[in-house]
């Protein structure tokens, strides 16, 4: 039969592990999100009024081709 001291230590360790996972998960999520300067460079406005339905349109953005399909 286990005594209450072992049960307390097991529960305390489990609670400490769960509490420690919160900041670790927050840091990981914050690390994986892009920074503000990258987000500000990535916005672009495209006029789609003359885009036809069906075939795609292509244009260059930051030296890379970007394709848009209007459904």
């Amino acid at each position: 039969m286990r005594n209450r001291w072992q049960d307390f230590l097991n529960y305390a360790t489990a609670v400490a592990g769960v509490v420690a996972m919160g900041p670790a998960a927050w840091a990981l999520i914050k690390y994986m999100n892009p920074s503000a300067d990258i987000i500000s460079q990535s916005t672009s406005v495209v006029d789609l009024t003359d885009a036809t339905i069906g075939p795609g349109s292509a244009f260059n953005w930051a030296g890379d081709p970007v394709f848009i399909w209007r459904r």
Side-chain angles (χ1 to χ4, degrees):
M1 186 166 134
R2 297 168 54 165
N3 61 17
R4 293 181 187 188
W5 182 247
Q6 283 179 322
D7 290 339
F8 170 74
L9 288 178
N10 286 337
Y11 289 131
T13 303
V15 168
V18 169
V19 169
M21 287 302 294
W26 179 263
L28 179 66
I29 291 170
K30 187 174 179 181
Y31 173 75
M32 294 182 74
N33 285 334
S35 61
D37 59 338
I38 299 298
I39 291 173
S40 67
Q41 292 176 357
S42 66
T43 57
S44 179
V45 177
V46 178
D47 185 20
L48 295 177
T49 57
D50 57 345
T52 60
I53 295 176
S57 302
F59 65 95
N60 283 332
W61 177 71
D64 294 327
V66 177
F67 301 98
I68 295 178
W69 284 272
R70 184 172 176 193
R71 299 196 260 168

Short mmCIF file of all heavy atoms in Angstrom, two decimals:
data_model
loop_
_atom_site.label_atom_id
_atom_site.label_comp_id
_atom_site.label_asym_id
_atom_site.label_seq_id
_atom_site.Cartn_x
_atom_site.Cartn_y
_atom_site.Cartn_z
N MET A 1 0.84 -1.18 0.00
CA MET A 1 0.00 0.00 0.00
C MET A 1 0.89 1.24 0.00
O MET A 1 1.83 1.35 0.78
CB MET A 1 -0.89 -0.02 1.24
CG MET A 1 -1.90 1.06 1.26
SD MET A 1 -3.13 0.69 2.50
CE MET A 1 -3.23 2.25 3.28
N ARG A 2 0.56 2.15 -0.87
CA ARG A 2 1.36 3.36 -0.97
C ARG A 2 0.95 4.34 0.11
O ARG A 2 -0.20 4.41 0.50
CB ARG A 2 1.14 3.99 -2.34
CG ARG A 2 1.61 3.10 -3.46
CD ARG A 2 1.14 3.56 -4.80
NE ARG A 2 1.50 4.95 -5.02
CZ ARG A 2 1.47 5.53 -6.21
NH1 ARG A 2 1.09 4.84 -7.24
NH2 ARG A 2 1.80 6.79 -6.34
N ASN A 3 1.90 5.06 0.57
CA ASN A 3 1.56 6.04 1.60
C ASN A 3 1.19 7.38 0.96
O ASN A 3 1.36 7.61 -0.23
CB ASN A 3 2.69 6.19 2.62
CG ASN A 3 3.98 6.67 1.97
OD1 ASN A 3 3.96 7.18 0.89
ND2 ASN A 3 5.07 6.51 2.67
N ARG A 4 0.67 8.25 1.76
CA ARG A 4 0.18 9.53 1.26
C ARG A 4 1.30 10.45 0.81
O ARG A 4 1.09 11.31 -0.05
CB ARG A 4 -0.66 10.21 2.34
CG ARG A 4 -1.91 9.45 2.60
CD ARG A 4 -2.75 10.11 3.64
NE ARG A 4 -3.86 9.23 3.97
CZ ARG A 4 -4.85 9.57 4.73
NH1 ARG A 4 -4.90 10.76 5.27
NH2 ARG A 4 -5.82 8.73 4.96
N TRP A 5 2.48 10.28 1.37
CA TRP A 5 3.61 11.12 0.98
C TRP A 5 4.00 10.84 -0.47
O TRP A 5 4.29 11.75 -1.23
CB TRP A 5 4.78 10.88 1.93
CG TRP A 5 5.97 11.73 1.64
CD1 TRP A 5 7.17 11.32 1.21
CD2 TRP A 5 6.06 13.15 1.75
NE1 TRP A 5 8.00 12.36 1.04
CE2 TRP A 5 7.35 13.52 1.37
CE3 TRP A 5 5.17 14.14 2.14
CZ2 TRP A 5 7.77 14.83 1.37
CZ3 TRP A 5 5.60 15.45 2.12
CH2 TRP A 5 6.89 15.79 1.74
N GLN A 6 4.00 9.58 -0.89
CA GLN A 6 4.31 9.24 -2.28
C GLN A 6 3.23 9.80 -3.22
O GLN A 6 3.54 10.29 -4.30
CB GLN A 6 4.39 7.73 -2.46
CG GLN A 6 5.68 7.13 -1.96
CD GLN A 6 5.67 5.63 -2.15
OE1 GLN A 6 4.64 4.98 -1.98
NE2 GLN A 6 6.82 5.08 -2.49
N ASP A 7 1.99 9.69 -2.82
CA ASP A 7 0.92 10.25 -3.64
C ASP A 7 1.07 11.75 -3.79
O ASP A 7 0.91 12.30 -4.90
CB ASP A 7 -0.44 9.93 -3.02
CG ASP A 7 -0.79 8.46 -3.13
OD1 ASP A 7 -0.21 7.78 -4.00
OD2 ASP A 7 -1.63 8.01 -2.34
N PHE A 8 1.38 12.44 -2.69
CA PHE A 8 1.58 13.89 -2.76
C PHE A 8 2.72 14.24 -3.70
O PHE A 8 2.60 15.16 -4.53
CB PHE A 8 1.85 14.45 -1.36
CG PHE A 8 2.29 15.88 -1.40
CD1 PHE A 8 1.39 16.90 -1.66
CD2 PHE A 8 3.63 16.22 -1.20
CE1 PHE A 8 1.80 18.23 -1.72
CE2 PHE A 8 4.05 17.53 -1.25
CZ PHE A 8 3.13 18.54 -1.51
N LEU A 9 3.84 13.53 -3.61
CA LEU A 9 4.98 13.81 -4.48
C LEU A 9 4.64 13.54 -5.94
O LEU A 9 5.06 14.29 -6.84
CB LEU A 9 6.19 13.00 -4.05
CG LEU A 9 6.86 13.44 -2.75
CD1 LEU A 9 8.02 12.52 -2.41
CD2 LEU A 9 7.36 14.86 -2.86
N ASN A 10 3.89 12.50 -6.20
CA ASN A 10 3.49 12.21 -7.58
C ASN A 10 2.59 13.31 -8.14
O ASN A 10 2.78 13.76 -9.27
CB ASN A 10 2.78 10.86 -7.66
CG ASN A 10 3.74 9.70 -7.51
OD1 ASN A 10 4.93 9.83 -7.77
ND2 ASN A 10 3.23 8.56 -7.08
N TYR A 11 1.61 13.73 -7.36
CA TYR A 11 0.72 14.80 -7.82
C TYR A 11 1.47 16.13 -7.97
O TYR A 11 1.24 16.87 -8.92
CB TYR A 11 -0.46 14.97 -6.87
CG TYR A 11 -1.44 13.83 -6.92
CD1 TYR A 11 -1.89 13.22 -5.76
CD2 TYR A 11 -1.91 13.35 -8.13
CE1 TYR A 11 -2.78 12.17 -5.80
CE2 TYR A 11 -2.81 12.30 -8.20
CZ TYR A 11 -3.24 11.72 -7.02
OH TYR A 11 -4.13 10.69 -7.08
N ALA A 12 2.35 16.43 -7.04
CA ALA A 12 3.12 17.67 -7.11
C ALA A 12 4.02 17.68 -8.35
O ALA A 12 4.16 18.71 -9.02
CB ALA A 12 3.93 17.87 -5.85
N THR A 13 4.63 16.55 -8.65
CA THR A 13 5.48 16.46 -9.84
C THR A 13 4.66 16.61 -11.11
O THR A 13 5.07 17.30 -12.05
CB THR A 13 6.22 15.12 -9.85
OG1 THR A 13 6.98 15.00 -8.64
CG2 THR A 13 7.16 15.01 -11.03
N ALA A 14 3.49 16.00 -11.14
CA ALA A 14 2.63 16.12 -12.32
C ALA A 14 2.16 17.56 -12.51
O ALA A 14 2.17 18.08 -13.63
CB ALA A 14 1.43 15.19 -12.18
N VAL A 15 1.78 18.23 -11.43
CA VAL A 15 1.34 19.62 -11.53
C VAL A 15 2.49 20.51 -11.97
O VAL A 15 2.32 21.40 -12.82
CB VAL A 15 0.73 20.09 -10.19
CG1 VAL A 15 0.54 21.59 -10.17
CG2 VAL A 15 -0.58 19.38 -9.93
N ALA A 16 3.68 20.30 -11.44
CA ALA A 16 4.84 21.10 -11.84
C ALA A 16 5.16 20.90 -13.32
O ALA A 16 5.52 21.84 -14.02
CB ALA A 16 6.04 20.75 -10.97
N GLY A 17 5.01 19.67 -13.80
CA GLY A 17 5.25 19.41 -15.22
C GLY A 17 4.25 20.11 -16.11
O GLY A 17 4.61 20.68 -17.14
N VAL A 18 2.98 20.09 -15.71
CA VAL A 18 1.95 20.76 -16.49
C VAL A 18 2.16 22.26 -16.48
O VAL A 18 2.04 22.94 -17.51
CB VAL A 18 0.55 20.38 -15.97
CG1 VAL A 18 -0.52 21.26 -16.58
CG2 VAL A 18 0.25 18.92 -16.24
N VAL A 19 2.51 22.82 -15.33
CA VAL A 19 2.76 24.26 -15.23
C VAL A 19 3.97 24.66 -16.06
O VAL A 19 3.99 25.72 -16.69
CB VAL A 19 2.91 24.68 -13.75
CG1 VAL A 19 3.44 26.09 -13.63
CG2 VAL A 19 1.59 24.53 -13.03
N ALA A 20 4.99 23.82 -16.10
CA ALA A 20 6.19 24.13 -16.88
C ALA A 20 5.94 24.03 -18.38
O ALA A 20 6.62 24.70 -19.17
CB ALA A 20 7.33 23.21 -16.47
N MET A 21 4.98 23.24 -18.79
CA MET A 21 4.70 23.09 -20.22
C MET A 21 4.04 24.34 -20.81
O MET A 21 4.17 24.58 -22.01
CB MET A 21 3.79 21.87 -20.46
CG MET A 21 4.50 20.55 -20.29
SD MET A 21 5.91 20.37 -21.37
CE MET A 21 5.11 20.33 -22.94
N GLY A 22 3.34 25.13 -20.01
CA GLY A 22 2.69 26.34 -20.52
C GLY A 22 3.68 27.33 -21.10
O GLY A 22 3.56 27.70 -22.28
N PRO A 23 4.66 27.78 -20.33
CA PRO A 23 5.65 28.71 -20.91
C PRO A 23 6.47 28.09 -22.03
O PRO A 23 6.84 28.79 -22.98
CB PRO A 23 6.54 29.07 -19.72
CG PRO A 23 5.71 28.81 -18.52
CD PRO A 23 4.81 27.67 -18.89
N ALA A 24 6.73 26.81 -21.96
CA ALA A 24 7.50 26.16 -23.03
C ALA A 24 6.69 26.17 -24.33
O ALA A 24 7.23 26.45 -25.41
CB ALA A 24 7.87 24.74 -22.63
N ALA A 25 5.40 25.87 -24.25
CA ALA A 25 4.56 25.89 -25.44
C ALA A 25 4.41 27.31 -25.97
O ALA A 25 4.43 27.54 -27.19
CB ALA A 25 3.20 25.29 -25.12
N TRP A 26 4.26 28.28 -25.07
CA TRP A 26 4.15 29.68 -25.48
C TRP A 26 5.41 30.13 -26.22
O TRP A 26 5.33 30.80 -27.26
CB TRP A 26 3.90 30.55 -24.26
CG TRP A 26 3.80 32.00 -24.59
CD1 TRP A 26 4.78 32.94 -24.50
CD2 TRP A 26 2.65 32.68 -25.11
NE1 TRP A 26 4.31 34.16 -24.91
CE2 TRP A 26 3.00 34.02 -25.30
CE3 TRP A 26 1.36 32.27 -25.41
CZ2 TRP A 26 2.11 34.96 -25.78
CZ3 TRP A 26 0.48 33.21 -25.90
CH2 TRP A 26 0.86 34.54 -26.08
N ALA A 27 6.58 29.77 -25.70
CA ALA A 27 7.83 30.16 -26.35
C ALA A 27 7.96 29.51 -27.72
O ALA A 27 8.42 30.14 -28.69
CB ALA A 27 9.01 29.77 -25.47
N LEU A 28 7.55 28.26 -27.84
CA LEU A 28 7.62 27.57 -29.13
C LEU A 28 6.69 28.21 -30.15
O LEU A 28 7.08 28.45 -31.29
CB LEU A 28 7.27 26.09 -28.96
CG LEU A 28 7.29 25.25 -30.24
CD1 LEU A 28 8.70 25.16 -30.78
CD2 LEU A 28 6.72 23.88 -29.97
N ILE A 29 5.47 28.53 -29.75
CA ILE A 29 4.52 29.15 -30.67
C ILE A 29 5.01 30.54 -31.07
O ILE A 29 4.94 30.94 -32.23
CB ILE A 29 3.12 29.20 -30.02
CG1 ILE A 29 2.56 27.79 -29.91
CG2 ILE A 29 2.19 30.11 -30.81
CD1 ILE A 29 1.31 27.70 -29.08
N LYS A 30 5.53 31.30 -30.12
CA LYS A 30 6.03 32.64 -30.43
C LYS A 30 7.25 32.56 -31.36
O LYS A 30 7.41 33.40 -32.24
CB LYS A 30 6.40 33.36 -29.13
CG LYS A 30 6.76 34.79 -29.34
CD LYS A 30 6.98 35.52 -28.05
CE LYS A 30 7.36 36.95 -28.33
NZ LYS A 30 7.60 37.71 -27.12
N TYR A 31 8.09 31.56 -31.19
CA TYR A 31 9.26 31.39 -32.04
C TYR A 31 8.85 31.05 -33.47
O TYR A 31 9.49 31.51 -34.42
CB TYR A 31 10.15 30.28 -31.48
CG TYR A 31 11.30 29.91 -32.37
CD1 TYR A 31 12.41 30.73 -32.48
CD2 TYR A 31 11.27 28.74 -33.11
CE1 TYR A 31 13.46 30.40 -33.30
CE2 TYR A 31 12.31 28.40 -33.93
CZ TYR A 31 13.41 29.23 -34.03
OH TYR A 31 14.45 28.89 -34.85
N MET A 32 7.80 30.29 -33.65
CA MET A 32 7.41 29.84 -34.98
C MET A 32 6.61 30.89 -35.75
O MET A 32 6.51 30.80 -36.97
CB MET A 32 6.62 28.54 -34.88
CG MET A 32 7.48 27.41 -34.37
SD MET A 32 6.63 25.86 -34.29
CE MET A 32 6.54 25.45 -36.01
N ASN A 33 6.05 31.89 -35.09
CA ASN A 33 5.33 32.95 -35.78
C ASN A 33 6.31 33.92 -36.42
O ASN A 33 7.37 34.20 -35.85
CB ASN A 33 4.43 33.71 -34.80
CG ASN A 33 3.20 32.93 -34.44
OD1 ASN A 33 2.75 32.09 -35.20
ND2 ASN A 33 2.66 33.21 -33.27
N PRO A 34 6.01 34.47 -37.59
CA PRO A 34 6.93 35.41 -38.22
C PRO A 34 6.95 36.74 -37.47
O PRO A 34 5.98 37.13 -36.83
CB PRO A 34 6.35 35.59 -39.62
CG PRO A 34 4.93 35.22 -39.50
CD PRO A 34 4.85 34.19 -38.42
N SER A 35 8.07 37.43 -37.56
CA SER A 35 8.21 38.71 -36.87
C SER A 35 7.45 39.80 -37.64
O SER A 35 7.02 39.62 -38.78
CB SER A 35 9.68 39.09 -36.73
OG SER A 35 10.27 39.21 -38.01
N ALA A 36 7.31 40.96 -37.02
CA ALA A 36 6.51 42.05 -37.59
C ALA A 36 7.13 42.58 -38.89
O ALA A 36 6.40 42.98 -39.80
CB ALA A 36 6.36 43.17 -36.58
N ASP A 37 8.46 42.63 -39.00
CA ASP A 37 9.06 43.14 -40.22
C ASP A 37 8.83 42.21 -41.41
O ASP A 37 8.67 42.66 -42.53
CB ASP A 37 10.55 43.43 -40.02
CG ASP A 37 11.33 42.19 -39.62
OD1 ASP A 37 10.72 41.24 -39.10
OD2 ASP A 37 12.56 42.18 -39.80
N ILE A 38 8.75 40.92 -41.16
CA ILE A 38 8.47 39.98 -42.23
C ILE A 38 7.01 40.10 -42.66
O ILE A 38 6.69 40.06 -43.85
CB ILE A 38 8.77 38.53 -41.77
CG1 ILE A 38 10.25 38.39 -41.42
CG2 ILE A 38 8.37 37.53 -42.83
CD1 ILE A 38 11.19 38.63 -42.56
N ILE A 39 6.12 40.26 -41.71
CA ILE A 39 4.70 40.40 -42.03
C ILE A 39 4.46 41.68 -42.83
O ILE A 39 3.69 41.69 -43.79
CB ILE A 39 3.84 40.37 -40.76
CG1 ILE A 39 3.89 38.98 -40.15
CG2 ILE A 39 2.41 40.78 -41.04
CD1 ILE A 39 3.20 38.90 -38.80
N SER A 40 5.14 42.77 -42.48
CA SER A 40 4.93 44.03 -43.19
C SER A 40 5.44 43.95 -44.63
O SER A 40 4.91 44.62 -45.50
CB SER A 40 5.61 45.17 -42.45
OG SER A 40 7.02 45.01 -42.50
N GLN A 41 6.44 43.15 -44.89
CA GLN A 41 6.96 43.00 -46.25
C GLN A 41 6.10 42.05 -47.08
O GLN A 41 6.19 42.05 -48.30
CB GLN A 41 8.38 42.46 -46.22
CG GLN A 41 9.39 43.43 -45.66
CD GLN A 41 10.77 42.80 -45.57
OE1 GLN A 41 10.96 41.64 -45.88
NE2 GLN A 41 11.73 43.58 -45.14
N SER A 42 5.30 41.23 -46.43
CA SER A 42 4.58 40.19 -47.16
C SER A 42 3.21 40.62 -47.64
O SER A 42 2.54 39.85 -48.31
CB SER A 42 4.44 38.96 -46.28
OG SER A 42 3.60 39.25 -45.19
N THR A 43 2.77 41.81 -47.31
CA THR A 43 1.44 42.23 -47.76
C THR A 43 1.52 42.82 -49.16
O THR A 43 2.46 43.53 -49.50
CB THR A 43 0.83 43.26 -46.78
OG1 THR A 43 1.72 44.36 -46.69
CG2 THR A 43 0.61 42.65 -45.42
N SER A 44 0.53 42.50 -49.96
CA SER A 44 0.47 43.01 -51.32
C SER A 44 -0.99 43.14 -51.71
O SER A 44 -1.82 42.30 -51.36
CB SER A 44 1.20 42.07 -52.27
OG SER A 44 1.11 42.55 -53.58
N VAL A 45 -1.32 44.18 -52.45
CA VAL A 45 -2.68 44.41 -52.91
C VAL A 45 -2.71 44.12 -54.40
O VAL A 45 -1.91 44.65 -55.17
CB VAL A 45 -3.13 45.86 -52.62
CG1 VAL A 45 -4.51 46.10 -53.18
CG2 VAL A 45 -3.07 46.13 -51.14
N VAL A 46 -3.64 43.28 -54.80
CA VAL A 46 -3.77 42.89 -56.20
C VAL A 46 -5.18 43.23 -56.65
O VAL A 46 -6.15 42.88 -55.98
CB VAL A 46 -3.49 41.38 -56.38
CG1 VAL A 46 -3.68 40.98 -57.83
CG2 VAL A 46 -2.11 41.04 -55.88
N ASP A 47 -5.29 43.91 -57.79
CA ASP A 47 -6.59 44.24 -58.36
C ASP A 47 -7.09 43.04 -59.17
O ASP A 47 -6.51 42.68 -60.19
CB ASP A 47 -6.47 45.47 -59.25
CG ASP A 47 -7.81 45.93 -59.77
OD1 ASP A 47 -8.85 45.56 -59.18
OD2 ASP A 47 -7.82 46.67 -60.76
N LEU A 48 -8.17 42.43 -58.71
CA LEU A 48 -8.70 41.24 -59.36
C LEU A 48 -9.93 41.52 -60.21
O LEU A 48 -10.60 40.59 -60.66
CB LEU A 48 -9.05 40.19 -58.30
CG LEU A 48 -7.88 39.62 -57.51
CD1 LEU A 48 -8.37 38.66 -56.46
CD2 LEU A 48 -6.90 38.94 -58.43
N THR A 49 -10.23 42.79 -60.47
CA THR A 49 -11.43 43.10 -61.24
C THR A 49 -11.32 42.64 -62.68
O THR A 49 -12.32 42.25 -63.28
CB THR A 49 -11.72 44.61 -61.20
OG1 THR A 49 -10.58 45.31 -61.69
CG2 THR A 49 -12.05 45.05 -59.79
N ASP A 50 -10.11 42.67 -63.26
CA ASP A 50 -9.97 42.24 -64.65
C ASP A 50 -9.57 40.78 -64.78
O ASP A 50 -9.37 40.29 -65.89
CB ASP A 50 -8.95 43.12 -65.37
CG ASP A 50 -7.59 43.12 -64.69
OD1 ASP A 50 -7.52 42.68 -63.53
OD2 ASP A 50 -6.62 43.58 -65.32
N ALA A 51 -9.46 40.05 -63.68
CA ALA A 51 -9.13 38.63 -63.73
C ALA A 51 -10.36 37.85 -64.16
O ALA A 51 -11.46 38.04 -63.64
CB ALA A 51 -8.65 38.15 -62.37
N THR A 52 -10.17 36.98 -65.13
CA THR A 52 -11.30 36.19 -65.62
C THR A 52 -11.48 34.95 -64.76
O THR A 52 -10.54 34.46 -64.14
CB THR A 52 -11.05 35.76 -67.08
OG1 THR A 52 -9.86 34.99 -67.12
CG2 THR A 52 -10.92 36.97 -67.98
N ILE A 53 -12.68 34.45 -64.76
CA ILE A 53 -12.96 33.24 -64.00
C ILE A 53 -12.45 32.05 -64.80
O ILE A 53 -12.74 31.91 -65.98
CB ILE A 53 -14.47 33.11 -63.72
CG1 ILE A 53 -14.93 34.25 -62.82
CG2 ILE A 53 -14.81 31.77 -63.09
CD1 ILE A 53 -16.41 34.28 -62.54
N GLY A 54 -11.70 31.22 -64.15
CA GLY A 54 -11.18 30.02 -64.81
C GLY A 54 -9.66 30.04 -64.88
O GLY A 54 -9.00 29.52 -63.99
N PRO A 55 -9.08 30.63 -65.94
CA PRO A 55 -7.62 30.55 -66.05
C PRO A 55 -6.92 31.41 -65.00
O PRO A 55 -7.47 32.38 -64.50
CB PRO A 55 -7.34 31.08 -67.46
CG PRO A 55 -8.50 31.93 -67.80
CD PRO A 55 -9.67 31.31 -67.08
N GLY A 56 -5.71 31.03 -64.69
CA GLY A 56 -4.96 31.74 -63.67
C GLY A 56 -4.25 32.96 -64.21
O GLY A 56 -4.02 33.11 -65.40
N SER A 57 -3.91 33.85 -63.31
CA SER A 57 -3.13 35.04 -63.64
C SER A 57 -1.80 34.93 -62.89
O SER A 57 -1.74 34.42 -61.78
CB SER A 57 -3.86 36.30 -63.19
OG SER A 57 -5.11 36.40 -63.80
N ALA A 58 -0.75 35.44 -63.51
CA ALA A 58 0.57 35.38 -62.90
C ALA A 58 1.16 36.79 -62.86
O ALA A 58 0.98 37.59 -63.77
CB ALA A 58 1.48 34.46 -63.67
N PHE A 59 1.87 37.08 -61.77
CA PHE A 59 2.61 38.34 -61.68
C PHE A 59 3.82 38.11 -60.79
O PHE A 59 3.90 37.14 -60.06
CB PHE A 59 1.72 39.48 -61.15
CG PHE A 59 1.26 39.28 -59.73
CD1 PHE A 59 1.94 39.85 -58.68
CD2 PHE A 59 0.11 38.54 -59.46
CE1 PHE A 59 1.51 39.67 -57.38
CE2 PHE A 59 -0.31 38.36 -58.17
CZ PHE A 59 0.38 38.91 -57.13
N ASN A 60 4.79 39.01 -60.91
CA ASN A 60 6.01 38.90 -60.12
C ASN A 60 5.87 39.72 -58.85
O ASN A 60 5.39 40.85 -58.88
CB ASN A 60 7.23 39.39 -60.90
CG ASN A 60 7.68 38.37 -61.91
OD1 ASN A 60 7.49 37.18 -61.73
ND2 ASN A 60 8.28 38.83 -62.99
N TRP A 61 6.30 39.13 -57.75
CA TRP A 61 6.30 39.83 -56.47
C TRP A 61 7.58 39.46 -55.75
O TRP A 61 7.86 38.29 -55.52
CB TRP A 61 5.09 39.43 -55.64
CG TRP A 61 5.07 40.05 -54.29
CD1 TRP A 61 4.85 41.35 -54.00
CD2 TRP A 61 5.31 39.40 -53.06
NE1 TRP A 61 4.93 41.55 -52.65
CE2 TRP A 61 5.22 40.37 -52.04
CE3 TRP A 61 5.60 38.10 -52.69
CZ2 TRP A 61 5.40 40.07 -50.71
CZ3 TRP A 61 5.78 37.80 -51.36
CH2 TRP A 61 5.68 38.79 -50.40
N ALA A 62 8.39 40.46 -55.43
CA ALA A 62 9.68 40.29 -54.76
C ALA A 62 10.58 39.34 -55.54
O ALA A 62 11.31 38.53 -54.97
CB ALA A 62 9.49 39.80 -53.33
N GLY A 63 10.49 39.39 -56.88
CA GLY A 63 11.34 38.55 -57.72
C GLY A 63 10.85 37.14 -57.90
O GLY A 63 11.51 36.34 -58.56
N ASP A 64 9.71 36.79 -57.35
CA ASP A 64 9.17 35.43 -57.46
C ASP A 64 7.81 35.48 -58.15
O ASP A 64 7.03 36.40 -57.92
CB ASP A 64 9.01 34.80 -56.07
CG ASP A 64 10.33 34.58 -55.37
OD1 ASP A 64 11.32 34.30 -56.08
OD2 ASP A 64 10.37 34.68 -54.14
N PRO A 65 7.52 34.48 -58.96
CA PRO A 65 6.20 34.46 -59.60
C PRO A 65 5.11 34.05 -58.61
O PRO A 65 5.31 33.18 -57.76
CB PRO A 65 6.35 33.41 -60.70
CG PRO A 65 7.43 32.52 -60.21
CD PRO A 65 8.36 33.39 -59.41
N VAL A 66 3.98 34.72 -58.71
CA VAL A 66 2.83 34.42 -57.88
C VAL A 66 1.65 34.15 -58.81
O VAL A 66 1.40 34.93 -59.73
CB VAL A 66 2.50 35.58 -56.92
CG1 VAL A 66 1.25 35.29 -56.11
CG2 VAL A 66 3.68 35.84 -55.99
N PHE A 67 0.94 33.06 -58.57
CA PHE A 67 -0.16 32.66 -59.43
C PHE A 67 -1.48 32.80 -58.66
O PHE A 67 -1.57 32.41 -57.50
CB PHE A 67 0.01 31.22 -59.90
CG PHE A 67 1.29 31.01 -60.65
CD1 PHE A 67 2.40 30.50 -60.02
CD2 PHE A 67 1.38 31.34 -61.99
CE1 PHE A 67 3.60 30.31 -60.69
CE2 PHE A 67 2.56 31.15 -62.67
CZ PHE A 67 3.67 30.64 -62.03
N ILE A 68 -2.49 33.35 -59.35
CA ILE A 68 -3.81 33.52 -58.73
C ILE A 68 -4.84 32.88 -59.66
O ILE A 68 -4.85 33.16 -60.87
CB ILE A 68 -4.15 35.00 -58.53
CG1 ILE A 68 -3.20 35.62 -57.52
CG2 ILE A 68 -5.59 35.17 -58.09
CD1 ILE A 68 -3.41 37.09 -57.30
N TRP A 69 -5.64 31.99 -59.07
CA TRP A 69 -6.74 31.37 -59.82
C TRP A 69 -8.04 31.89 -59.25
O TRP A 69 -8.29 31.76 -58.06
CB TRP A 69 -6.70 29.85 -59.69
CG TRP A 69 -5.64 29.24 -60.54
CD1 TRP A 69 -5.77 28.84 -61.83
CD2 TRP A 69 -4.31 28.96 -60.15
NE1 TRP A 69 -4.58 28.34 -62.27
CE2 TRP A 69 -3.66 28.40 -61.26
CE3 TRP A 69 -3.56 29.16 -59.00
CZ2 TRP A 69 -2.34 28.02 -61.25
CZ3 TRP A 69 -2.26 28.77 -58.97
CH2 TRP A 69 -1.65 28.21 -60.08
N ARG A 70 -8.86 32.47 -60.10
CA ARG A 70 -10.17 32.95 -59.66
C ARG A 70 -11.20 31.90 -60.02
O ARG A 70 -11.32 31.50 -61.17
CB ARG A 70 -10.50 34.28 -60.34
CG ARG A 70 -11.79 34.85 -59.85
CD ARG A 70 -12.00 36.24 -60.38
NE ARG A 70 -13.31 36.72 -59.96
CZ ARG A 70 -13.89 37.78 -60.45
NH1 ARG A 70 -13.28 38.48 -61.39
NH2 ARG A 70 -15.07 38.14 -60.02
N ARG A 71 -11.92 31.43 -59.00
CA ARG A 71 -12.91 30.37 -59.24
C ARG A 71 -14.27 30.93 -59.49
O ARG A 71 -14.66 31.96 -59.12
CB ARG A 71 -12.98 29.45 -58.02
CG ARG A 71 -11.66 28.80 -57.76
CD ARG A 71 -11.83 27.65 -56.85
NE ARG A 71 -11.46 28.02 -55.47
CZ ARG A 71 -11.73 27.26 -54.44
NH1 ARG A 71 -12.38 26.15 -54.58
NH2 ARG A 71 -11.36 27.62 -53.26
#
